[in-house]
Amino acid sequence: MGQAFGCIQVDQSNVVVREHFGKFDDVLEPGCHCLPWCLGYQVAGSLTLRVQQLDVRCETKTKDNVFVNVVASVQYRAIAEKASDAFYRLTNTREQIQSYVFDVIRASVPKLNLDAVFEQKNDIAKAVEEELEKAMSTYGFEIVQTLIVDIEPDVQVKRAMNEINAAARLRLAANEKAEAEKILQIKKAEGEAESKYLSGLGIARQRQAIVDGLRDSVLAFSDNVPGTTPKDVMDMVLVTQYFDTMKEIGASSKSSSVFIPHGPGAVRDVATQIREGLLQASSVEKPI
């Protein structure tokens, strides 16, 4: 309706391209403008100055022969001072940007292994942005930002990468578990060795105390009872220990015991057998 009266309104963040008899005349900025159509002026089209975003999905191959889908997000806008170039020089801006993105990504990614692609995605985005900035500035467009938002390998490749990671972690866990078991076994062996050492010391001290006690008993009895020999004292000690042992066996209700003859006449025989056994052991140890 406004054009019928020779007026036109341009919205904010937009520009309008005006032609005079089919030839570019001027770029109309936001506001109200006079457009005398009867004198050959007309609107060729409008152009937005807002930042626009284009997501480009590119399939390419890495240096280690893995196919990946790289998604690049390009943010761009038309330059107001070059609105005529942006309007007339490109037929399809989005396809042009997409072609440049394809070219840069397919030239950069095949030089890198798959792991390096993930690590150097910022470098890839920077290379894309520099190439687009250099190419699109001549057409009246400004590249605001370029991001690599996704790197997606094949499903089987991702599964294999996860399995490799899981296997490495399981191997590390197995090593840690084996090391812990090794430490436990070492500590257990050290404890058993210390326990046996202390037990040996206790047995040696016990035997030494028994020997000292018997010696003292024999000496004291020989001094206090004239006419007794060490043999008589040892017989009496053995008999005393024998009855003490029988007393302890009888006091326990759950002991399993083997009884030997213990009548009054057999006590001397038991002492003789013990004494003879000790003497025989001593004679075997001494060289003839």
Side-chain angles (χ1 to χ4, degrees):
M1 182 64 69
Q3 294 187 26
F5 294 99
C7 295
I8 185 174
Q9 175 183 324
V10 181
D11 296 332
Q12 184 66 35
S13 299
N14 289 275
V15 293
V16 169
V17 177
R18 185 178 66 184
E19 294 180 347
H20 185 218
F21 290 115
K23 181 181 179 181
F24 171 72
D25 180 66
D26 194 10
V27 176
L28 304 181
E29 296 182 353
C32 185
H33 300 272
C34 181
L35 190 71
W37 57 270
C38 57
L39 299 179
Y41 292 96
Q42 63 178 359
V43 174
S46 62
L47 187 68
T48 180
L49 301 180
R50 293 187 178 94
V51 176
Q52 302 179 69
Q53 179 169 309
L54 173 63
D55 292 333
V56 181
R57 177 180 290 271
C58 176
E59 183 180 14
T60 184
K61 184 180 72 170
T62 62
K63 187 177 181 180
D64 48 355
N65 297 324
V66 177
F67 282 90
V68 294
N69 286 316
V70 180
V71 180
S73 180
V74 181
Q75 299 173 357
Y76 66 97
R77 65 183 174 187
I79 303 174
E81 294 78 8
K82 298 182 178 181
S84 59
D85 292 336
F87 184 81
Y88 286 106
R89 298 192 63 180
L90 287 180
T91 303
N92 193 321
T93 306
R94 300 175 72 87
E95 288 186 358
Q96 186 73 17
I97 293 175
Q98 183 174 347
S99 299
Y100 282 112
V101 173
F102 280 169
D103 181 66
V104 176
I105 290 179
R106 288 175 177 170
S108 302
V109 174
K111 299 178 182 178
L112 305 172
N113 292 326
L114 181 60
D115 294 337
V117 172
F118 284 95
E119 296 173 358
Q120 302 182 21
K121 68 173 186 176
N122 291 334
D123 296 336
I124 299 173
K126 185 177 180 181
V128 173
E129 183 176 349
E130 291 177 353
E131 184 67 22
L132 286 175
E133 184 69 28
K134 181 174 62 176
M136 299 302 294
S137 61
T138 60
Y139 298 109
F141 285 92
E142 175 190 5
I143 304 301
V144 178
Q145 185 70 272
T146 302
L147 303 172
I148 302 298
V149 296
D150 192 15
I151 300 174
E152 184 179 355
D154 185 75
V155 177
Q156 295 181 355
V157 175
K158 289 195 294 184
R159 186 182 299 112
M161 293 174 65
N162 291 332
E163 290 177 355
I164 292 173
N165 194 352
R169 293 181 181 275
L170 289 175
R171 183 169 61 252
L172 180 61
N175 291 335
E176 294 295 333
K177 183 178 180 181
E179 190 67 22
E181 292 179 351
K182 176 183 176 181
I183 294 174
L184 289 176
Q185 291 179 359
I186 292 175
K187 294 299 181 182
K188 183 179 179 181
E190 291 177 353
E192 290 179 354
E194 185 68 18
S195 175
K196 291 178 180 180
Y197 173 75
L198 295 176
S199 177
L201 290 179
I203 293 174
R205 291 175 180 176
Q206 179 186 17
R207 291 175 178 175
Q208 184 64 38
I210 292 173
V211 172
D212 293 341
L214 290 175
R215 184 181 65 250
D216 294 340
S217 298
V218 171
L219 294 176
F221 195 87
S222 299
D223 294 339
N224 295 328
V225 183
T228 57
T229 62
K231 178 179 177 300
D232 297 332
V233 177
M234 289 300 299
D235 291 340
M236 184 186 67
V237 171
L238 290 174
V239 172
T240 302
Q241 290 182 349
Y242 174 78
F243 283 111
D244 289 341
T245 302
M246 295 302 300
K247 180 180 178 181
E248 292 178 359
I249 294 174
S252 178
S253 60
K254 297 182 179 180
S255 61
S256 299
S257 306
V258 177
F259 291 94
I260 59 176
H262 58 282
V267 173
R268 187 175 185 84
D269 296 336
V270 172
T272 303
Q273 292 175 8
I274 295 175
R275 185 171 57 256
E276 290 177 354
L278 294 173
L279 294 175
Q280 289 176 2
S282 299
S283 64
V284 171
E285 293 177 358
K286 295 181 180 179
I288 300 175

